[in-house]
Amino acid sequence: MAFSAVLLVLLAVLVPLSALSAWVDLEIDDTDRYVAAVSPLSSDPAVQATVADLVTEEAMRQIDLGPLQDTVREFLHETVRSFTTTEAFRNAWDTANRAAHQAVTAALDGDSGQAVTIDLAPVIEQVKQDLVRDGVPFADQIPVERTEITVLGPGQADELRSSFHWLRYCSIWPAVATLVLLVLVVGIATVRRGLRAGLWATAIVGAGFVLGAIVLRVLVAAGRSRVLDEVPGNDRDAASAVVDALTASLRTTVWVVLVVGAVLLVGAVMARVLLGRRKAGRG
């Protein structure tokens, strides 16, 4: 029983550690994978609405039309909102996020608090070019300057930095260690104590996987909440979409590990029961 308890605790630690360290190494630290993860957000309504609001607000700061101000604001907002459904916007969004990945790595590697942001300047530039080409009034007055969506506040970046350094250092090795541990545990139990012992070890491994998956899901949910704590209210919907896109692979991992663990647990228990009945029938 003591061995089973130790194995369960080890797996509850190793499973989430393996998933998180591999996630940092293979997705967060890789520009192409990072961009691929957030690229579909160009079609997300929350992101489109945030971009339309920010571009319109920046443009209207440069335009003073007196009583027509609200009418022009509404017209420009709808025009920009329509632009966010185009291929040009999707390309500009990818360009902005490729640059944003540099901000992510800088914030996680830096020594002092830096907010992680997405600079919409490439998007605004593309919007302006398209609107000017289409003859939209006052489009030439839209300023192309740094306009940011905050994804991670500076305080949260400071809190997460040491964790990310540690996870980056671990890389994929916790996952390798977990697999080696499982093979050794099940193999040694089977060789030394027979098939029933091997099945019991497999059942414990399955239970450990289930427990580890639950721990990982809790960590992802808690991390999401903390990351969004410092995000300004007007950026929260877009930031939530970005965080969810970046952690989608972790949530998938939760379900994969949970299913694998459940199959191992149920399968091993059923095999032990059938083996016991077969022995009883022979007796």
Side-chain angles (χ1 to χ4, degrees):
M1 291 298 293
F3 173 77
S4 299
V6 170
L7 184 58
L8 281 173
V9 172
L10 278 175
L11 288 174
V13 173
L14 284 174
V15 167
L17 174 60
S18 300
L20 289 170
S21 58
W23 172 67
V24 169
D25 183 63
L26 300 176
E27 185 163 326
I28 299 301
D29 277 351
D30 187 283
T31 302
D32 290 336
R33 288 194 178 97
Y34 177 94
V35 174
V38 298
S39 181
L41 293 180
S42 60
S43 300
D44 187 282
V47 171
Q48 292 176 341
T50 299
V51 170
D53 291 345
L54 288 173
V55 172
T56 301
E57 186 64 29
E58 289 299 318
M60 295 309 296
R61 288 177 183 176
Q62 307 296 321
I63 301 173
D64 184 5
L65 298 174
L68 296 177
Q69 191 80 355
D70 290 341
T71 301
V72 172
R73 179 190 299 274
E74 183 178 353
F75 169 75
L76 183 59
H77 186 274
E78 289 302 316
T79 302
V80 176
R81 189 71 172 80
S82 177
F83 170 78
T84 61
T85 64
T86 65
E87 182 67 26
F89 172 71
R90 289 189 284 273
N91 292 334
W93 173 256
D94 287 349
T95 299
N97 278 287
R98 190 165 292 277
H101 183 257
Q102 298 177 3
V104 171
T105 54
L108 297 178
D109 289 337
D111 297 325
S112 60
Q114 299 181 61
V116 176
T117 62
I118 300 174
D119 180 15
L120 296 178
V123 178
I124 296 174
E125 174 64 31
Q126 189 62 56
V127 169
K128 181 176 182 178
Q129 290 179 8
D130 280 41
L131 297 185
V132 169
R133 186 182 64 245
D134 293 342
V136 175
F138 312 110
D140 60 328
Q141 298 184 39
I142 296 176
V144 179
E145 55 190 31
R146 189 174 184 86
T147 304
E148 299 174 336
I149 297 176
T150 300
V151 178
L152 181 64
Q156 296 298 344
D158 282 344
E159 290 183 13
L160 293 173
R161 185 172 295 114
S162 60
S163 297
F164 271 87
H165 282 174
W166 190 54
L167 290 171
R168 182 181 289 121
Y169 177 79
C170 290
S171 186
I172 63 170
W173 295 112
V176 174
T178 302
L179 292 176
V180 171
L181 172 66
L182 300 185
V183 171
L184 288 176
V185 166
V186 175
I188 291 174
T190 303
V191 171
R192 285 191 172 185
R193 303 180 61 185
L195 181 57
R196 287 177 62 84
L199 289 173
W200 174 251
T202 302
I204 296 301
V205 167
F209 269 33
V210 171
L211 182 59
I214 293 172
V215 172
L216 177 59
R217 186 65 185 90
V218 171
L219 290 176
V220 171
R224 181 184 189 277
S225 178
R226 290 185 64 81
V227 162
L228 296 176
D229 278 347
E230 286 189 352
V231 176
N234 56 332
D235 289 351
R236 190 171 295 273
D237 288 343
S240 297
V242 172
V243 171
D244 288 343
L246 289 175
T247 57
S249 60
L250 285 176
R251 295 194 303 276
T252 300
T253 299
V254 167
W255 286 108
V256 170
V257 174
L258 191 64
V259 170
V260 170
V263 169
L264 289 175
L265 175 59
V266 174
V269 169
M270 290 181 64
R272 275 178 60 90
V273 170
L274 292 174
L275 187 60
R277 289 180 179 177
R278 183 177 297 177
K279 284 187 176 182
R282 291 176 180 175

